[in-house]
Amino acid sequence: MKAREISPLALDSYQRAARVILSNHLVTQTYPDRIALPLLRRWATELRDDLMTLFGYRLEVTETTARLFTVSDRLDAGTPAKTATDRTFDRYRYAYLALALAALGRAGNQITLSELADHVAADAAQVDGVDLSTERASDRDAFVDAVGWLAARGAIALADGDAGGWAANPDAGEALYDIDRSVVIALFRPSRALQHLRSIRGLLAGADAANDDSAEFGMSRTVDVKETARRVRRALVERPVVYAADLDDHELVQLALPRTAADVELLTGLVAERREEGVAMIDSSGRLSDVRFPGAGTVAQVALLLAGEIADRVLDLDTPQPARMPLPRGRSEDLVEQVDSAIPQSGIFDSLAGNDAVESTEPPPADQLFPVVEDQWIADTVRTLTDRFGRTFAAGWQADPDGLGRAASALLERLRLIAAVPGGVLALPALARYRGVVVTIRDRAPEIDLFQSSANDSEDITA
């Protein structure tokens, strides 16, 4: 590792550069900020070697962009594209984003928003189930969200006008954008041509090995220890917690080796927290995690309180022990099937696609069992928390404790603290670190309450 050759005084700078590219994958002159690209250019040579050695990631750095080409071992629905207001992209926004990127690739140095909309509308008309009508406000809003996502990353830059004005009234508003072709090119670089795929599995790690000709003759493949170690390190930086129950025997051996997590620590500055059930990489800087927890806002605060309540119930020896179940399997497979169902079965895709069928890389079911907490108990607990602390919650959540419980549970599941199963959730081991949450409520002056009663979120609960 090149990181071992870096002086202690410069190591912090190197680790910050590693965290920047691992958390963003694309860095431009303005995204995520103006100091990120110079930092990466300083350490480009060392990072290029270490990222390839540890994870199998390829880093390309130019004068205007830095692009990390990652390797995916499974599909993950927990990291969607989001709007500037933190709204998750729906299928229309994703479609407009893809079509806008294609149109920008064919455009010159500048383009107006209305012209880009016309190109996207023309292409969308050729896709079943997708269209763009500038007469509909909802379509304009979705299109502007996709354009805003591109603008935030520097693919386009506003030269004149206002996109919001065009969205409100396309006859009266307009916007002119400069196009940065280097960013447009860097944004979409799939490992294989999508037209050649029959399944999204073809983009996952191991697709080439799964289609090796030796498999046709029944030849067994030896375990690639180097690739197995890379796969485990990828899991350490991509998942909130890496549980032993998720891994196969060869991966467990790599996870148990002290050097596996130590190499990730040296590169990123994260700290490995190792338990019998698995390993979590703790990000005290808060600059690599896409979700900070504990965090501010009603949902995050209730999720923290709920985590403590679930941990207390599961670990309390004076209450009846809950039933136990293994981790649910096949969720990645379900997501694969959903994506594959949208691939056209005729036309250019059918004529160009290969005949390969990639088998699932999901590990076999494990024997480890986890305690089950019923949905009704969670709903009752959230109502109790709302009764106790509801005056500090956002007004909208005060009136919807059931929705608040679902949102808090979804956050805990994304953080791999619980896992949803029919009728309840599984309490996963990392949840125990939040047992014994202590709540303090800061009193606010009455006149301040009057002005903050309609705030989106409250930050009065601390733990």
Side-chain angles (χ1 to χ4, degrees):
M1 280 185 65
K2 295 293 184 180
R4 295 192 179 93
E5 303 172 6
I6 298 174
S7 70
L9 293 177
L11 185 59
D12 179 68
S13 173
Y14 180 69
Q15 291 173 338
R16 281 191 286 114
R19 291 195 296 266
V20 165
I21 195 61
L22 284 171
S23 58
N24 294 286
H25 296 183
L26 172 69
V27 173
T28 66
Q29 293 173 305
T30 59
Y31 180 83
D33 51 53
R34 293 188 177 277
I35 65 175
L37 186 60
L39 178 64
L40 284 169
R41 285 174 56 82
R42 174 188 176 186
W43 297 108
T45 301
E46 295 84 356
L47 281 174
R48 189 178 294 112
D49 289 345
D50 282 350
L51 290 168
M52 175 57 70
T53 300
L54 295 185
F55 308 113
Y57 294 166
R58 180 167 56 88
L59 176 65
E60 289 185 2
V61 180
T62 68
E63 292 184 0
T64 57
T65 63
R67 182 70 163 90
L68 184 65
F69 297 91
T70 60
V71 177
S72 298
D73 296 292
R74 63 179 186 177
L75 294 189
D76 181 9
T79 54
K82 292 191 175 183
T83 68
T85 56
D86 206 36
R87 180 181 178 183
T88 299
F89 269 36
D90 55 20
R91 64 188 298 266
Y92 290 101
R93 284 168 171 80
Y94 277 120
Y96 296 156
L97 175 61
L99 295 173
L101 192 58
L104 291 174
R106 301 189 298 264
N109 295 324
Q110 286 187 323
I111 193 169
T112 64
L113 190 58
S114 59
E115 182 183 1
L116 181 58
D118 290 340
H119 287 303
V120 170
D123 291 340
Q126 303 178 45
V127 181
D128 292 340
V130 178
D131 61 355
L132 170 62
S133 173
T134 56
E135 300 298 320
R136 291 194 294 262
S138 59
D139 283 12
R140 295 196 302 271
D141 289 341
F143 173 68
V144 168
D145 283 340
V147 170
W149 189 94
L150 292 168
R153 283 149 183 80
I156 53 178
L158 185 65
D160 192 17
D162 176 28
W166 179 89
N169 185 353
D171 294 328
E174 185 58 281
L176 176 66
Y177 288 94
D178 295 323
I179 301 173
D180 189 327
R181 307 202 66 78
S182 64
V183 178
V184 171
I185 294 171
L187 265 173
F188 186 67
R189 297 273 297 279
S191 57
R192 295 179 64 185
L194 300 186
Q195 293 92 332
H196 296 174
L197 298 178
R198 287 188 181 274
S199 171
I200 193 65
R201 291 192 188 95
L203 293 177
L204 300 180
D208 293 334
N211 297 314
D212 195 309
D213 292 340
S214 62
E216 298 180 7
F217 301 97
M219 298 175 61
S220 61
R221 301 189 193 95
T222 59
V223 176
D224 188 336
V225 176
K226 182 179 179 180
E227 182 55 34
T228 301
R230 283 177 169 174
R231 190 160 61 246
V232 173
R233 295 190 201 101
R234 290 196 292 262
L236 288 173
V237 295
E238 293 172 0
R239 306 180 197 176
V241 185
V242 178
Y243 289 112
D246 283 333
L247 307 179
D248 61 29
D249 291 340
H250 302 292
E251 293 167 341
L252 284 173
V253 171
Q254 292 299 323
L255 185 66
L257 294 176
R259 181 173 177 174
T260 301
D263 287 344
V264 177
E265 287 180 308
L266 181 60
L267 176 69
T268 63
L270 304 183
V271 178
E273 184 174 294
R274 188 181 293 273
R275 295 290 185 269
E276 179 182 359
E277 299 85 359
V279 177
M281 303 301 297
I282 307 303
D283 177 22
S284 58
S285 71
R287 295 177 180 176
L288 181 57
S289 304
D290 56 341
V291 177
R292 298 200 66 175
F293 189 77
T298 298
V299 173
Q301 291 167 352
V302 171
L304 177 61
L305 296 173
L306 182 59
E309 295 290 339
I310 294 175
D312 287 341
R313 179 174 188 245
V314 170
L315 299 175
D316 190 352
L317 299 178
D318 295 329
T319 59
Q321 292 299 301
R324 290 177 173 268
M325 292 177 56
L327 278 172
R329 299 285 168 174
R331 294 192 176 181
S332 179
E333 286 301 295
D334 292 341
L335 189 56
V336 166
E337 292 179 2
Q338 292 179 43
V339 175
D340 286 353
S341 66
I343 297 178
Q345 298 301 311
S346 61
I348 186 171
F349 281 82
D350 188 59
S351 62
L352 292 179
N355 294 320
D356 50 316
V358 182
E359 297 297 327
S360 167
T361 58
E362 288 277 331
D367 295 328
Q368 188 173 1
L369 303 178
F370 302 95
V372 180
V373 179
E374 301 81 4
D375 284 337
Q376 187 58 53
W377 184 90
I378 292 178
D380 294 340
T381 300
V382 173
R383 291 192 191 98
T384 300
L385 294 174
T386 302
D387 291 339
R388 292 174 60 188
F389 309 114
R391 67 185 179 87
T392 68
F393 296 171
W397 289 123
Q398 293 179 33
D400 186 16
D402 292 337
L404 179 58
R406 289 190 295 271
S409 296
L411 176 58
L412 294 178
E413 184 172 20
R414 181 178 177 185
L415 294 168
R416 296 283 288 162
L417 300 178
I418 63 175
V421 294
V425 300
L426 302 184
L428 302 183
L431 191 76
R433 71 195 316 268
Y434 299 104
R435 189 185 186 193
V437 173
V438 177
V439 177
T440 59
I441 299 179
R442 297 192 299 269
D443 292 328
R444 296 181 294 183
E447 62 273 13
I448 296 179
D449 280 344
L450 292 175
F451 291 100
Q452 295 190 352
S453 60
S454 61
N456 290 330
D457 273 318
S458 171
E459 298 182 8
D460 288 340
I461 296 178
T462 58

